[in-house]
Amino acid sequence: MSWLAFAFGAWALGWWLNARLAARPRTQGTRLAVPLIFGITLIAIWEGLVRGLEISPVLLPAPSMIAVRFVASTDILWEDFVQTVIKGALSGYAIGCGSAFLMAILVDRFDFLRRGLLPVGNFVAALPVIGMAPILVMWFGFDWQSKAAVVVVMVFFPMLVNTVQGLADSSAMQRDLMRTYAAGYWATLLKLRLPAAMPFIFNGLKIASTLALIGAIVAEFFGSPIRGMGFRISTSVGQLALDLVWAEIVVAAVAGSAFYGLVALIERAVTFWHPSQRHT
Amino acid sequence: MIEAQNLDLTFQTNDGPVHALKDVSLQIDKGEFVSFIGPSGCGKTTFLRCMADLEHPTGGEITVNGVSPEAARKSRAYGYVFQAAGLYPWRTIGGNIRLPLEIMGYSKADQSERVARVLELVELSGFEKKYPWQLSGGMQQRASIARALAFDADILLMDEPFGALDEIVRDHLNEQLLHLWARTQKTIAFVTHSIPEAVYLSTKIVVMSPRPGRITDVIESPLPKERPLDIRDSPEFLEVAHRVREGLRAGHLDD
Ligand SMILES: Nc1ncnc2c1ncn2[C@@H]1O[C@H](COP(=O)(O)OP(=O)(O)OP(=O)(O)O)[C@@H](O)[C@H]1O
Ligand SMILES: [Mg+2]
């Protein structure tokens, strides 16, 4: 009963603190504190409810249990992280986004590609490509190469579509200006169309960063060596070791947020001039 | 030098053809300052764009410096100031002015020297490192003029460059433009909606009327080359302004 009271108390305290903070003028401090208090409150309520209601750890382990498991299994978690995030997701992301970018420049240059490939691209971008994962695992084997291939397939078309759209985003007047300078194709590309496309390119890169992690983890459900986050999640569920599953989910969440945040940070530095990024 | 002979331009639109220019003939000599004035839609911008090879006439002949507009464009014979400033927001003011210089292959040292010089000309020294969106509309427009002046083109095509500015800034820039023209010997084609502006600046005023866009009057200005701002109160000035107004009215009565 006391654990339920603890959960209730945590809820009341968190509510009260955030209500007071939100009423004050926004500063750097409160901007960080409000979501932080929110998160901590949520974890405290979770802890209290799981203990108070005596929920089976198979259904939902308490945060403290997940934390203990996390600390005890850092070597496994690290190995899985390297296998899935670094080898699978990141390499697939780099290859997929890089080749989509180059392809976008070709599509933009040659009209037959634009008219042929782009509708296909839009179509494929809307498909749940993750369904191809078993096929790709069959083609490229169990190790990270097949996971990278899944990621490539997943990120390619969203990145392509965004970049092509961005390359067409300069205004008629901006292009006329280049014409009056008798600027050639490359000068126009480098000095006008690529800079103008940057907000779109980063939009594609951000979408791709989330897709990459999903792709790399889910692809491991269809076969992998005995390491990797997806592998660990599916086997640990079988062994009812839900605390380890949750520890992997924590790693995935942190890695995903960090990855997205890094791309968003670079975006801010590159597209500082765009109205959506101007905070001054 | 620009020469147009029976120029025709018809836009094919969904609502049928639009005669933007019909039978337009005009000669602009080297070193002249020619203003185009007329009601909205009479083809002033279109005519300027034909000179710049941004629009292709459907009939007639046009030459710029004795060659086709395309050849003139490729030899970088003119600077064009658009109706809106159109600065690239990812470049600083200095970077925007440097843009044509980079494309045309001026040396680094030459670039910096020219940027500083034209910035001083439009009184924007000290704003080189600012971004366009940090400047007022009038300052942006001045930067876009500086951009067209930075490289050595002997023709300057200006499409209502001062349209968005207030009276006082406009007077000041008009004066500056006249000084610049006297100093550089450029040939200038200048679109405006303001009769005093046209009369104050020009050696020749071209009055146009719409539907179809055509030239209704060409007025050679008798005003001297040296023009202080208060010349606008002189009888000669008012006389020319009167003729322009008559020309504009006559164009309207045709409708
Ligand atoms: N790209 C285009 N396609 C179709 N019609 C056009 C195009 N550009 C201009 N026109 C038409 O040609 C005519 C002349 O246009 P233009 O822009 O030259 O006028 P303007 O004299 O510059 O007018 P304003 O003073 O408003 O700038 C107008 O009727 C306009 O609608
Ligand atoms: Mg116009």
Side-chain angles (χ1 to χ4, degrees):
Chain A
M1 212 52 217
S2 63
W3 277 110
L4 282 181
F6 169 79
F8 182 78
W11 169 71
L13 183 71
W15 182 298
W16 178 75
L17 268 175
N18 264 354
R20 290 205 52 174
L21 279 178
R24 292 178 41 183
R26 284 170 71 99
T27 64
Q28 194 72 27
T30 57
R31 245 192 32 207
L32 276 175
V34 172
L36 205 67
I37 293 173
F38 192 87
I40 292 172
T41 309
L42 215 61
I43 291 174
I45 296 173
W46 175 357
E47 181 83 35
L49 287 182
V50 167
R51 286 177 183 247
L53 299 176
E54 287 170 8
I55 293 172
S56 151
V58 173
L59 285 179
L60 188 66
S64 57
M65 197 174 153
I66 297 169
V68 168
R69 188 57 187 242
F70 190 102
V71 174
S73 346
T74 42
D75 49 342
I76 295 182
L77 292 172
W78 175 252
E79 189 190 0
D80 293 347
F81 172 81
V82 170
Q83 171 75 10
T84 306
V85 176
I86 309 282
K87 289 186 182 163
L90 273 187
S91 61
Y93 182 80
I95 296 169
C97 291
S99 55
F101 176 79
L102 295 178
M103 182 56 86
I105 288 175
L106 288 179
V107 165
D108 177 76
R109 181 89 218 243
F110 301 106
D111 202 45
F112 71 93
L113 277 179
R114 176 196 299 277
R115 284 192 283 175
L117 192 66
L118 217 56
V120 177
N122 278 310
F123 176 70
V124 177
L127 284 181
V129 189
I130 194 71
M132 299 242 339
I135 301 172
L136 290 170
V137 171
M138 214 165 72
W139 286 356
F140 293 97
F142 277 181
D143 210 350
W144 63 270
Q145 289 87 346
S146 65
K147 315 305 175 288
V150 172
V151 173
V152 169
V153 173
M154 282 183 78
V155 303
F156 185 83
F157 285 104
M159 181 68 188
L160 177 74
V161 170
N162 269 285
T163 308
V164 169
Q165 209 181 345
L167 287 172
D169 193 53
S170 52
S171 70
M173 198 224 282
Q174 290 176 325
R175 287 194 300 272
D176 280 348
L177 186 69
M178 280 296 185
R179 230 173 112 78
T180 68
Y181 300 150
Y185 169 78
W186 288 106
T188 309
L189 183 71
L190 291 177
K191 293 186 190 295
L192 168 61
R193 306 190 44 232
L194 275 181
M198 279 306 159
F200 287 81
I201 291 175
F202 274 97
N203 193 33
L205 286 174
K206 284 195 292 191
I207 295 172
S209 74
T210 354
L211 289 176
L213 208 58
I214 297 173
I217 293 176
V218 174
E220 288 180 0
F221 294 169
F222 303 100
S224 70
I226 51 164
R227 59 178 178 276
M229 296 163 75
F231 162 81
R232 196 78 58 202
I233 288 173
S234 59
T235 51
S236 301
V237 165
Q239 298 159 357
L240 299 182
L242 265 290
D243 47 352
L244 189 56
V245 173
W246 280 95
E248 292 282 3
I249 290 173
V250 169
V251 174
V254 171
S257 309
F259 191 16
Y260 187 94
L262 186 70
V263 176
L265 216 64
I266 300 172
E267 175 184 32
R268 258 182 94 157
V270 174
T271 66
F272 64 92
W273 50 271
H274 194 259
S276 68
Q277 298 287 340
R278 279 182 227 151
H279 301 295
T280 45
Chain B
M1 206 193 98
I2 300 166
E3 208 172 348
Q5 277 289 335
N6 309 106
L7 211 60
D8 269 308
L9 199 154
T10 311
F11 288 109
Q12 298 300 339
T13 68
N14 292 336
D15 314 325
V18 175
H19 286 272
L21 293 176
K22 187 168 163 58
D23 209 18
V24 169
S25 299
L26 182 73
Q27 176 162 342
I28 301 176
D29 293 322
K30 187 165 168 34
E32 268 196 293
F33 196 129
V34 179
S35 285
F36 296 85
I37 191 164
S40 190
C42 68
K44 305 179 294 292
T45 298
T46 307
F47 192 19
L48 226 58
R49 288 174 62 85
C50 285
M51 299 175 196
D53 187 39
L54 296 174
E55 216 75 76
H56 301 289
T58 46
E61 280 289 323
I62 180 164
T63 59
V64 176
N65 289 342
V67 295
S68 72
E70 188 185 3
R73 175 173 67 82
K74 295 214 162 123
S75 68
R76 288 148 179 171
Y78 63 82
Y80 198 112
V81 180
F82 291 87
Q83 208 159 339
L87 301 165
Y88 291 179
W90 52 85
R91 282 178 171 251
T92 58
I93 295 300
N96 269 285
I97 297 171
R98 194 169 277 120
L99 175 72
L101 304 175
E102 286 171 8
I103 291 171
M104 297 177 190
Y106 287 80
S107 76
K108 274 264 154 28
D110 199 11
Q111 287 178 19
S112 309
E113 192 257 315
R114 280 165 184 267
V115 170
R117 180 158 51 80
V118 291
L119 275 175
E120 199 183 311
L121 208 64
V122 297
E123 293 174 41
L124 281 179
S125 308
F127 291 93
E128 184 176 348
K129 299 242 154 59
K130 289 265 190 269
Y131 284 91
W133 30 273
Q134 296 171 321
L135 267 56
S136 73
M139 292 160 103
Q140 291 182 28
Q141 195 58 32
R142 270 143 66 195
S144 87
I145 294 168
R147 180 177 61 184
L149 295 174
F151 53 99
D152 299 313
D154 47 340
I155 300 174
L156 197 55
L157 306 173
M158 307 176 89
D159 192 354
E160 294 189 48
F162 308 141
L165 306 184
D166 69 74
E167 205 73 11
I168 296 172
V169 176
R170 200 169 169 146
D171 278 356
H172 180 70
L173 285 177
N174 280 340
E175 237 183 334
Q176 289 285 308
L177 187 59
L178 272 189
H179 286 157
L180 180 104
W181 171 65
R183 191 145 27 103
T184 56
Q185 304 284 305
K186 282 184 198 280
T187 309
I188 300 183
F190 185 95
V191 173
T192 178
H193 273 129
S194 152
I195 296 175
E197 187 170 75
V199 178
Y200 176 67
L201 292 171
S202 321
T203 56
K204 188 189 268 179
I205 300 152
V206 178
V207 182
M208 298 179 71
S209 78
R211 285 177 300 271
R214 62 197 184 281
I215 294 178
T216 49
D217 199 2
V218 177
I219 301 159
E220 299 281 347
S221 173
L223 298 180
K225 243 193 145 175
E226 192 61 40
R227 298 176 187 182
L229 273 173
D230 50 21
I231 201 173
R232 293 180 297 183
D233 299 323
S234 71
E236 294 90 342
F237 186 96
L238 296 175
E239 162 82 40
V240 181
H242 181 73
R243 248 194 91 183
V244 174
R245 190 167 296 114
E246 288 295 302
L248 284 171
R249 191 170 300 150
H252 258 289
L253 291 180
D254 290 353
D255 276 358

